[in-house]
Amino acid sequence: MLARSATRCFNKLRAPVSRPLVRLARPQCRRFSMNANGPTPGSPPMSSTGMLAPFTAELDQIAPSFKINGAQIRVLQSPAEFYETLKHKIRNAERRIFLSTLYIGKSERELITTLQETLRAKPELRLSILTDALRGTREAPDPSCASLLAPLVAEFGPERVEIRMYHTPNLTGLKKKYVPKRINEGWGLQHMKLYGVDDEIILSGANLSSDYFTNRQDRYHLFSSKDVTEYFANIQDAVSSLSFLIEPSESQAGFEMVWPEDNAAPSPLEDPKQFVKESTSLLAGLISPKTAPLTAHDTIPQEKPDTSVYMLTQFSQLLSPDTSTELPAVTHILKALSLPQYANSSWTFTAGYFNPAPSLTKLLLSAQSHNNTVITASPFANGFYKSPGVSGLLPDAYTLLARRFVRAVHHNQREASTVLREWRRGTVGEPGGWTYHAKGLWVTLPGSEDPSISLIGSSNYTKRSYSLDLEANALVVTENEELKKRLGEEQRWLKEHTSIVTRDDFAKADRRVGFKVRIAMMIVQLLGGAL
């Protein structure tokens, strides 16, 4: 499939679906300054604008952003609502559909049928899909994500449908030849979750498969903003130009992976060093606040833009030097929370696979905030629960990591301010059992009941996220009271199926972690920190 002699397909490649990157004048953003030590004695209570100033002043230097109105962000609640909203948007698409995901489930016929019917009804509509090559071809020559998608190209032609699969430059040569498919993803994946239709986009941590549509809890934010949507469309286009093209074939697998001659870099399998060099040239300018191609399409009255949306990406494996924006932005937010004026703030942090990068754990525990909450999956809501082989040990591995965090909370004397909650809704594999995959951060300012800051996207905030995978996120900073209420509601409904877990709970016999689990964690670390 990865034909080395036939992959140079300049003569047979037709015009790509993607659109050119457009650079327009960047909308002007308000900037603020304030005393880092907080208000002076006798001064009136600080406004939300003043409290947000230490965050936004630095964020403006880290990542590109747009000013929108809070009403342009809709927070979806359930997997079913996410799926029905996505299908509704697809059916009503007029110009374009672009989907970026780790994979599309190989049996997702309903989603494919929805795309087919819409493409048939609207001849001007174009479709672009970006997935990961390792995950998307793992089952080949048996049915796979690639074989599911290739018929769309066969029916509608490459002028209207483009299927791309990104392959990490970290897995080449003998490693690629001998590392088993079940574990080769430990060297890096295309992990962005961008679901765009015309001028709207859903950002999520969810992939496109049946469990994410039914019983796998995640987060989903719908942005009705031309500017936000166009920015992430440009990001997907750029990564697509660094990815393999999927073409239908008569082979047993049903598809062929080719490397177009007009891609932005040589194949990562043939020249990984030059691939990273060219990727850096292409991507660094897209993610910098100084050079990012920012549009100015949203028409918002001057008094209405009350929300900043910062475009965050983590492209560590594609950038040399690494100028990714997500980790610096998250680090800045958590550092700001250590300032005295935020002693009465609070944060909620969630990750289905709880293994935050050590630097983030340290910052979470050094924040001055109170009423802080970590939400993670119970072992019975972990997607690896009772999986065969080594992966079946992972729920216990995450239990061990959670126990270490609770121990660190105690060691840092933060037990009065920080709790760990485990999410459980039934038991995985049993009727009514759900898994938990949500990830994100919320910050509520002093004097407020609901969050003013929220981070939504694909990242798991792990060492792997910050070194191996491609991630895309939006950081929302808002003064819009209605949006703050919606973010607060999101926190509350995610807590509905949680319970607090303490050091005493982890000391119980059923929480003890065996030697095999520790061995599994060592193996995972050797595979590039896949936890």
Side-chain angles (χ1 to χ4, degrees), residues 400-464:
L400 178 59
L401 293 167
R403 185 176 74 185
R404 289 175 179 173
F405 177 79
V406 171
R407 186 183 300 161
V409 169
H410 172 73
H411 178 75
N412 286 272
Q413 299 180 335
R414 302 294 294 169
E415 287 173 305
S417 63
T418 304
V419 298
L420 176 76
R421 288 180 171 269
E422 285 188 343
W423 191 98
R424 181 180 181 182
R425 188 171 178 179
T427 300
V428 177
E430 297 181 2
W434 285 45
T435 55
Y436 185 77
H437 196 248
K439 64 267 293 192
L441 174 69
W442 299 259
V443 176
T444 300
L445 298 177
S448 298
E449 294 184 1
D450 296 305
S452 297
I453 299 174
S454 182
L455 182 61
I456 176 75
S458 62
S459 180
N460 287 310
Y461 314 114
T462 63
K463 177 182 177 181
R464 171 175 175 158

Side-chain angles (χ1 to χ4, degrees), residues 379-413:
F380 301 98
N382 188 294
F384 294 105
Y385 181 70
K386 289 190 175 180
S387 293
V390 174
S391 61
L393 300 174
L394 291 179
D396 284 343
Y398 287 112
T399 293
L400 178 59
L401 293 167
R403 185 176 74 185
R404 289 175 179 173
F405 177 79
V406 171
R407 186 183 300 161
V409 169
H410 172 73
H411 178 75
N412 286 272
Q413 299 180 335

Side-chain angles (χ1 to χ4, degrees), residues 340-410:
Q341 64 261 37
Y342 297 109
N344 292 319
S345 65
S346 66
W347 54 257
T348 296
F349 176 86
T350 186
Y353 304 130
F354 183 66
N355 183 24
S359 63
L360 297 189
T361 299
K362 183 177 180 180
L363 289 170
L364 287 171
L365 294 176
S366 65
Q368 295 291 312
S369 312
H370 288 76
N371 298 318
N372 307 316
T373 302
V374 169
I375 305 174
T376 191
S378 158
F380 301 98
N382 188 294
F384 294 105
Y385 181 70
K386 289 190 175 180
S387 293
V390 174
S391 61
L393 300 174
L394 291 179
D396 284 343
Y398 287 112
T399 293
L400 178 59
L401 293 167
R403 185 176 74 185
R404 289 175 179 173
F405 177 79
V406 171
R407 186 183 300 161
V409 169
H410 172 73

Side-chain angles (χ1 to χ4, degrees), residues 150 154 247-256:
E247 294 183 344
S249 77
E250 298 298 325
S251 67
Q252 181 182 356
F255 69 93
E256 182 183 9

